[in-house]
PDB file of all heavy atoms in Angstrom:
ATOM      1  N   GLY A  53     -14.879 -28.412  -4.735  1.00 77.00           N
ATOM      2  CA  GLY A  53     -13.876 -28.457  -5.783  1.00 77.00           C
ATOM      3  C   GLY A  53     -12.503 -28.880  -5.329  1.00 77.00           C
ATOM      4  O   GLY A  53     -11.561 -28.835  -6.120  1.00 77.00           O
ATOM      5  N   ALA A  54     -12.359 -29.295  -4.055  1.00 82.00           N
ATOM      6  CA  ALA A  54     -11.055 -29.794  -3.602  1.00 82.00           C
ATOM      7  C   ALA A  54     -10.737 -31.095  -4.341  1.00 82.00           C
ATOM      8  O   ALA A  54     -11.625 -31.902  -4.631  1.00 82.00           O
ATOM      9  CB  ALA A  54     -11.067 -30.021  -2.100  1.00 82.00           C
ATOM     10  N   ASN A  55      -9.475 -31.286  -4.649  1.00 84.00           N
ATOM     11  CA  ASN A  55      -9.048 -32.444  -5.443  1.00 84.00           C
ATOM     12  C   ASN A  55      -8.617 -33.600  -4.541  1.00 84.00           C
ATOM     13  O   ASN A  55      -7.811 -33.403  -3.623  1.00 84.00           O
ATOM     14  CB  ASN A  55      -7.892 -32.036  -6.356  1.00 84.00           C
ATOM     15  CG  ASN A  55      -7.539 -33.124  -7.344  1.00 84.00           C
ATOM     16  OD1 ASN A  55      -8.382 -33.540  -8.139  1.00 84.00           O
ATOM     17  ND2 ASN A  55      -6.308 -33.584  -7.290  1.00 84.00           N
ATOM     18  N   ILE A  56      -9.171 -34.801  -4.785  1.00 89.00           N
ATOM     19  CA  ILE A  56      -8.821 -36.009  -4.037  1.00 89.00           C
ATOM     20  C   ILE A  56      -8.152 -36.967  -4.997  1.00 89.00           C
ATOM     21  O   ILE A  56      -8.753 -37.371  -6.000  1.00 89.00           O
ATOM     22  CB  ILE A  56     -10.065 -36.688  -3.416  1.00 89.00           C
ATOM     23  CG1 ILE A  56     -11.013 -35.651  -2.798  1.00 89.00           C
ATOM     24  CG2 ILE A  56      -9.646 -37.743  -2.415  1.00 89.00           C
ATOM     25  CD1 ILE A  56     -10.442 -34.871  -1.660  1.00 89.00           C
ATOM     26  N   THR A  65     -10.961 -37.678  -7.735  1.00 88.00           N
ATOM     27  CA  THR A  65     -12.277 -37.068  -7.811  1.00 88.00           C
ATOM     28  C   THR A  65     -12.199 -35.691  -7.167  1.00 88.00           C
ATOM     29  O   THR A  65     -11.115 -35.256  -6.738  1.00 88.00           O
ATOM     30  CB  THR A  65     -13.333 -37.941  -7.094  1.00 88.00           C
ATOM     31  OG1 THR A  65     -14.629 -37.377  -7.317  1.00 88.00           O
ATOM     32  CG2 THR A  65     -13.066 -38.005  -5.584  1.00 88.00           C
ATOM     33  N   THR A  66     -13.321 -34.980  -7.105  1.00 85.00           N
ATOM     34  CA  THR A  66     -13.376 -33.682  -6.448  1.00 85.00           C
ATOM     35  C   THR A  66     -14.562 -33.629  -5.500  1.00 85.00           C
ATOM     36  O   THR A  66     -15.518 -34.404  -5.637  1.00 85.00           O
ATOM     37  CB  THR A  66     -13.508 -32.529  -7.468  1.00 85.00           C
ATOM     38  OG1 THR A  66     -14.697 -32.738  -8.253  1.00 85.00           O
ATOM     39  CG2 THR A  66     -12.297 -32.460  -8.377  1.00 85.00           C
ATOM     40  N   THR A  87      -5.860 -31.808  -2.142  1.00 82.00           N
ATOM     41  CA  THR A  87      -5.250 -30.536  -2.529  1.00 82.00           C
ATOM     42  C   THR A  87      -6.315 -29.561  -3.002  1.00 82.00           C
ATOM     43  O   THR A  87      -7.399 -29.933  -3.434  1.00 82.00           O
ATOM     44  CB  THR A  87      -4.226 -30.733  -3.668  1.00 82.00           C
ATOM     45  OG1 THR A  87      -4.897 -31.260  -4.821  1.00 82.00           O
ATOM     46  CG2 THR A  87      -3.121 -31.672  -3.264  1.00 82.00           C
ATOM     47  N   PHE A  88      -5.969 -28.288  -2.894  1.00 76.00           N
ATOM     48  CA  PHE A  88      -6.764 -27.215  -3.478  1.00 76.00           C
ATOM     49  C   PHE A  88      -5.825 -26.040  -3.675  1.00 76.00           C
ATOM     50  O   PHE A  88      -5.061 -25.701  -2.759  1.00 76.00           O
ATOM     51  CB  PHE A  88      -7.936 -26.821  -2.567  1.00 76.00           C
ATOM     52  CG  PHE A  88      -8.950 -25.936  -3.237  1.00 76.00           C
ATOM     53  CD1 PHE A  88      -9.994 -26.494  -3.964  1.00 76.00           C
ATOM     54  CD2 PHE A  88      -8.867 -24.555  -3.167  1.00 76.00           C
ATOM     55  CE1 PHE A  88     -10.941 -25.704  -4.597  1.00 76.00           C
ATOM     56  CE2 PHE A  88      -9.795 -23.751  -3.805  1.00 76.00           C
ATOM     57  CZ  PHE A  88     -10.839 -24.328  -4.520  1.00 76.00           C
ATOM     58  N   VAL A  89      -5.855 -25.442  -4.836  1.00 61.00           N
ATOM     59  CA  VAL A  89      -4.926 -24.356  -5.140  1.00 61.00           C
ATOM     60  C   VAL A  89      -5.099 -23.225  -4.124  1.00 61.00           C
ATOM     61  O   VAL A  89      -6.206 -22.750  -3.874  1.00 61.00           O
ATOM     62  CB  VAL A  89      -5.154 -23.831  -6.565  1.00 61.00           C
ATOM     63  CG1 VAL A  89      -4.256 -22.631  -6.842  1.00 61.00           C
ATOM     64  CG2 VAL A  89      -4.896 -24.927  -7.578  1.00 61.00           C
ATOM     65  N   ARG A 751     -14.168 -24.007  -8.883  1.00 86.00           N
ATOM     66  CA  ARG A 751     -13.024 -23.179  -9.263  1.00 86.00           C
ATOM     67  C   ARG A 751     -13.353 -22.179 -10.365  1.00 86.00           C
ATOM     68  O   ARG A 751     -12.468 -21.630 -10.999  1.00 86.00           O
ATOM     69  CB  ARG A 751     -11.826 -24.045  -9.670  1.00 86.00           C
ATOM     70  CG  ARG A 751     -11.385 -25.033  -8.615  1.00 86.00           C
ATOM     71  CD  ARG A 751     -10.202 -25.864  -9.068  1.00 86.00           C
ATOM     72  NE  ARG A 751     -10.482 -26.604 -10.294  1.00 86.00           N
ATOM     73  CZ  ARG A 751     -11.173 -27.739 -10.356  1.00 86.00           C
ATOM     74  NH1 ARG A 751     -11.633 -28.275  -9.241  1.00 86.00           N
ATOM     75  NH2 ARG A 751     -11.372 -28.349 -11.506  1.00 86.00           N
ATOM     76  N   TYR A 789     -11.091 -18.368 -13.070  1.00 93.00           N
ATOM     77  CA  TYR A 789     -11.183 -19.807 -13.289  1.00 93.00           C
ATOM     78  C   TYR A 789      -9.820 -20.437 -13.033  1.00 93.00           C
ATOM     79  O   TYR A 789      -8.796 -19.939 -13.513  1.00 93.00           O
ATOM     80  CB  TYR A 789     -11.640 -20.143 -14.701  1.00 93.00           C
ATOM     81  CG  TYR A 789     -11.645 -21.629 -14.977  1.00 93.00           C
ATOM     82  CD1 TYR A 789     -12.480 -22.486 -14.260  1.00 93.00           C
ATOM     83  CD2 TYR A 789     -10.790 -22.184 -15.928  1.00 93.00           C
ATOM     84  CE1 TYR A 789     -12.474 -23.849 -14.492  1.00 93.00           C
ATOM     85  CE2 TYR A 789     -10.781 -23.550 -16.165  1.00 93.00           C
ATOM     86  CZ  TYR A 789     -11.622 -24.381 -15.454  1.00 93.00           C
ATOM     87  OH  TYR A 789     -11.613 -25.733 -15.664  1.00 93.00           O
ATOM     88  N   LYS A 790      -9.815 -21.520 -12.261  1.00 89.00           N
ATOM     89  CA  LYS A 790      -8.594 -22.268 -11.987  1.00 89.00           C
ATOM     90  C   LYS A 790      -8.750 -23.681 -12.553  1.00 89.00           C
ATOM     91  O   LYS A 790      -9.696 -24.393 -12.206  1.00 89.00           O
ATOM     92  CB  LYS A 790      -8.321 -22.353 -10.484  1.00 89.00           C
ATOM     93  CG  LYS A 790      -7.952 -21.038  -9.841  1.00 89.00           C
ATOM     94  CD  LYS A 790      -7.689 -21.217  -8.354  1.00 89.00           C
ATOM     95  CE  LYS A 790      -7.347 -19.901  -7.678  1.00 89.00           C
ATOM     96  NZ  LYS A 790      -7.110 -20.059  -6.218  1.00 89.00           N
ATOM     97  N   MET A 791      -7.831 -24.057 -13.415  1.00 89.00           N
ATOM     98  CA  MET A 791      -7.833 -25.382 -14.008  1.00 89.00           C
ATOM     99  C   MET A 791      -6.666 -26.176 -13.432  1.00 89.00           C
ATOM    100  O   MET A 791      -5.506 -25.765 -13.536  1.00 89.00           O
ATOM    101  CB  MET A 791      -7.703 -25.277 -15.524  1.00 89.00           C
ATOM    102  CG  MET A 791      -7.676 -26.609 -16.247  1.00 89.00           C
ATOM    103  SD  MET A 791      -7.711 -26.375 -18.060  1.00 89.00           S
ATOM    104  CE  MET A 791      -6.179 -25.466 -18.314  1.00 89.00           C
ATOM    105  N   LEU A 792      -6.976 -27.322 -12.786  1.00 84.00           N
ATOM    106  CA  LEU A 792      -5.946 -28.146 -12.188  1.00 84.00           C
ATOM    107  C   LEU A 792      -5.236 -28.953 -13.265  1.00 84.00           C
ATOM    108  O   LEU A 792      -5.875 -29.560 -14.120  1.00 84.00           O
ATOM    109  CB  LEU A 792      -6.554 -29.090 -11.147  1.00 84.00           C
ATOM    110  CG  LEU A 792      -7.336 -28.414 -10.004  1.00 84.00           C
ATOM    111  CD1 LEU A 792      -7.896 -29.465  -9.058  1.00 84.00           C
ATOM    112  CD2 LEU A 792      -6.459 -27.436  -9.257  1.00 84.00           C
ATOM    113  N   VAL A 793      -3.908 -28.937 -13.218  1.00 86.00           N
ATOM    114  CA  VAL A 793      -3.114 -29.641 -14.222  1.00 86.00           C
ATOM    115  C   VAL A 793      -1.973 -30.361 -13.520  1.00 86.00           C
ATOM    116  O   VAL A 793      -1.741 -30.201 -12.317  1.00 86.00           O
ATOM    117  CB  VAL A 793      -2.547 -28.669 -15.280  1.00 86.00           C
ATOM    118  CG1 VAL A 793      -3.674 -28.013 -16.068  1.00 86.00           C
ATOM    119  CG2 VAL A 793      -1.669 -27.603 -14.632  1.00 86.00           C
ATOM    120  N   GLY A 794      -1.238 -31.166 -14.268  1.00 81.00           N
ATOM    121  CA  GLY A 794      -0.099 -31.877 -13.717  1.00 81.00           C
ATOM    122  C   GLY A 794      -0.437 -33.306 -13.353  1.00 81.00           C
ATOM    123  O   GLY A 794      -1.612 -33.701 -13.252  1.00 81.00           O
ATOM    124  N   ASN A 796      -0.237 -34.984 -10.566  1.00 71.00           N
ATOM    125  CA  ASN A 796      -1.025 -35.150  -9.338  1.00 71.00           C
ATOM    126  C   ASN A 796      -2.044 -34.037  -9.140  1.00 71.00           C
ATOM    127  O   ASN A 796      -2.571 -33.863  -8.042  1.00 71.00           O
ATOM    128  CB  ASN A 796      -0.093 -35.219  -8.117  1.00 71.00           C
ATOM    129  CG  ASN A 796       0.784 -36.448  -8.127  1.00 71.00           C
ATOM    130  OD1 ASN A 796       0.321 -37.535  -8.452  1.00 71.00           O
ATOM    131  ND2 ASN A 796       2.057 -36.271  -7.789  1.00 71.00           N
ATOM    132  N   LYS A 797      -2.306 -33.291 -10.204  1.00 74.00           N
ATOM    133  CA  LYS A 797      -3.289 -32.199 -10.144  1.00 74.00           C
ATOM    134  C   LYS A 797      -2.950 -31.157  -9.075  1.00 74.00           C
ATOM    135  O   LYS A 797      -3.839 -30.526  -8.509  1.00 74.00           O
ATOM    136  CB  LYS A 797      -4.696 -32.753  -9.877  1.00 74.00           C
ATOM    137  CG  LYS A 797      -5.168 -33.816 -10.848  1.00 74.00           C
ATOM    138  CD  LYS A 797      -5.552 -33.225 -12.175  1.00 74.00           C
ATOM    139  CE  LYS A 797      -6.191 -34.276 -13.062  1.00 74.00           C
ATOM    140  NZ  LYS A 797      -6.528 -33.755 -14.404  1.00 74.00           N
ATOM    141  N   THR A 798      -1.669 -30.987  -8.772  1.00 75.00           N
ATOM    142  CA  THR A 798      -1.273 -30.007  -7.752  1.00 75.00           C
ATOM    143  C   THR A 798      -0.869 -28.675  -8.367  1.00 75.00           C
ATOM    144  O   THR A 798      -0.666 -27.702  -7.650  1.00 75.00           O
ATOM    145  CB  THR A 798      -0.102 -30.552  -6.913  1.00 75.00           C
ATOM    146  OG1 THR A 798       0.970 -30.908  -7.788  1.00 75.00           O
ATOM    147  CG2 THR A 798      -0.536 -31.769  -6.113  1.00 75.00           C
ATOM    148  N   ASN A 799      -0.733 -28.624  -9.688  1.00 85.00           N
ATOM    149  CA  ASN A 799      -0.460 -27.368 -10.377  1.00 85.00           C
ATOM    150  C   ASN A 799      -1.772 -26.808 -10.910  1.00 85.00           C
ATOM    151  O   ASN A 799      -2.807 -27.480 -10.927  1.00 85.00           O
ATOM    152  CB  ASN A 799       0.528 -27.580 -11.520  1.00 85.00           C
ATOM    153  CG  ASN A 799       1.844 -28.147 -11.047  1.00 85.00           C
ATOM    154  OD1 ASN A 799       2.252 -27.927  -9.904  1.00 85.00           O
ATOM    155  ND2 ASN A 799       2.517 -28.898 -11.901  1.00 85.00           N
ATOM    156  N   SER A 800      -1.740 -25.566 -11.364  1.00 88.00           N
ATOM    157  CA  SER A 800      -2.968 -24.972 -11.887  1.00 88.00           C
ATOM    158  C   SER A 800      -2.642 -23.905 -12.915  1.00 88.00           C
ATOM    159  O   SER A 800      -1.562 -23.304 -12.899  1.00 88.00           O
ATOM    160  CB  SER A 800      -3.796 -24.365 -10.758  1.00 88.00           C
ATOM    161  OG  SER A 800      -3.155 -23.224 -10.231  1.00 88.00           O
ATOM    162  N   VAL A 801      -3.598 -23.690 -13.802  1.00 93.00           N
ATOM    163  CA  VAL A 801      -3.578 -22.554 -14.706  1.00 93.00           C
ATOM    164  C   VAL A 801      -4.756 -21.678 -14.315  1.00 93.00           C
ATOM    165  O   VAL A 801      -5.895 -22.140 -14.256  1.00 93.00           O
ATOM    166  CB  VAL A 801      -3.711 -22.987 -16.179  1.00 93.00           C
ATOM    167  CG1 VAL A 801      -3.747 -21.764 -17.085  1.00 93.00           C
ATOM    168  CG2 VAL A 801      -2.546 -23.885 -16.568  1.00 93.00           C
ATOM    169  N   GLN A 802      -4.466 -20.430 -14.015  1.00 92.00           N
ATOM    170  CA  GLN A 802      -5.486 -19.523 -13.501  1.00 92.00           C
ATOM    171  C   GLN A 802      -5.742 -18.400 -14.503  1.00 92.00           C
ATOM    172  O   GLN A 802      -4.824 -17.760 -14.992  1.00 92.00           O
ATOM    173  CB  GLN A 802      -5.044 -18.937 -12.166  1.00 92.00           C
ATOM    174  CG  GLN A 802      -6.028 -17.974 -11.548  1.00 92.00           C
ATOM    175  CD  GLN A 802      -5.549 -17.489 -10.188  1.00 92.00           C
ATOM    176  OE1 GLN A 802      -4.683 -18.103  -9.568  1.00 92.00           O
ATOM    177  NE2 GLN A 802      -6.102 -16.382  -9.727  1.00 92.00           N
TER     178      GLN A 802
END
Side-chain angles (χ1 to χ4, degrees):
N55 188 59
I56 317 297
T65 186
T66 58
T87 61
F88 192 87
V89 176
R751 304 180 302 281
Y789 176 63
K790 292 180 181 179
M791 179 173 62
L792 303 179
V793 296
N796 294 318
K797 305 285 187 183
T798 55
N799 301 332
S800 69
V801 177
Q802 180 177 342

